[in-house]
Amino acid sequence: MSDESRQPHAALDRDSRTCKAVKIERLLSLVTKLSGARVLEVGTGAGYIAAYLSGRVGSDGAVSAVDVIDQRQLRDGFEFQLVTDTTLPFPDESFDICISNHVLEHVGDRSAQKHHLGEIRRVLRPDGWLYLAVPNRWTLVEPHFRLPLLSWFPRSMRDRYVRWMGRGSRYDCDPPSHSELATLLEDAGYKAREVSIEGVKVVGEIECAPGFKRWLLRHSDLWSRPLRGILPSYLFVACRWK
């Protein structure tokens, strides 16, 4: 995260971030409650998700947020701190819920990613929960640079592809595969539950008008399990091993 050559990739529009916040709220509701919770969003970007969640935790809760760049479009309702790397400026066991929404792929190599998850575990309370969203390395179109199969290439070729297509000087993301992500979570001390399919259903409910697309997403059990390998993102809720 401290690498100055890394580009800001945060989505800054209100509508998409509000939909994302609702999705996070719905998926967290499978395992915990927001009311009264102390919440940390790592990589807050525009701040809309943190602000939305501040309205859900109520007066007995609180929301904090960190990022390596201050891109906030909304600043009210939550505390914010700049950070320089994956180290979090909070005491142990400070939060009931931590959110890492499409951040892991930006923090560096697998060692840095493990440290990112480890720091979140450190600041989670023993009964706390992590919401983790990570792009699928094998998705057909890479979501940050919008280039087909970019993250499929060997690391040595990704920078060249980005330059050839005029999208910058380097590919500054490193999405793990599903098996690599599972290993990272286990090594960092988490017991994880995948909610990727539940996430597809929520998208259908909150983002799609009535019609075939909404029906298809809301009935993702019919098709998403065999096609999990090309889903755009992997979603997990995870708790600390006792």
Side-chain angles (χ1 to χ4, degrees), residues 179-194:
S179 60
E180 288 173 327
L181 183 56
T183 298
L184 281 167
L185 283 163
E186 183 177 356
D187 289 349
Y190 290 96
K191 182 178 181 180
R193 169 184 171 184
E194 186 169 358

Side-chain angles (χ1 to χ4, degrees), residues 164-224:
W164 289 339
M165 300 303 294
R167 301 293 178 84
S169 61
R170 63 184 293 254
Y171 180 55
D172 59 349
C173 307
D174 193 4
S177 67
H178 190 275
S179 60
E180 288 173 327
L181 183 56
T183 298
L184 281 167
L185 283 163
E186 183 177 356
D187 289 349
Y190 290 96
K191 182 178 181 180
R193 169 184 171 184
E194 186 169 358
V195 291
S196 301
I197 294 172
E198 290 88 340
V200 172
K201 293 180 180 180
V202 172
V203 169
E205 292 173 1
I206 66 177
E207 295 188 19
C208 297
F212 178 72
K213 183 177 180 180
R214 182 176 183 179
W215 182 91
L216 189 65
L217 294 179
R218 292 181 67 181
H219 293 82
S220 57
D221 282 333
L222 300 175
W223 56 267
S224 58

Side-chain angles (χ1 to χ4, degrees), residues 103-179:
V103 173
L104 183 76
E105 68 273 19
H106 299 292
V107 304
D109 60 15
R110 296 290 176 266
S111 176
Q113 292 175 3
K114 182 178 177 181
H115 188 261
H116 170 73
L117 293 172
E119 275 290 280
I120 291 174
R121 186 187 185 281
R122 179 183 66 78
V123 302
L124 270 178
R125 290 173 177 166
D127 57 351
W129 285 90
L130 162 66
Y131 171 90
L132 178 68
V134 182
N136 176 7
R137 179 185 173 186
W138 307 114
T139 194
L140 298 178
V141 178
E142 202 281 339
H144 304 96
F145 290 79
R146 304 292 182 186
L147 292 175
L149 308 182
L150 171 59
S151 52
W152 292 45
F153 283 85
R155 289 179 179 84
S156 60
M157 295 182 61
R158 296 173 189 173
D159 291 350
R160 296 182 206 170
Y161 185 17
V162 168
R163 289 195 295 269
W164 289 339
M165 300 303 294
R167 301 293 178 84
S169 61
R170 63 184 293 254
Y171 180 55
D172 59 349
C173 307
D174 193 4
S177 67
H178 190 275
S179 60

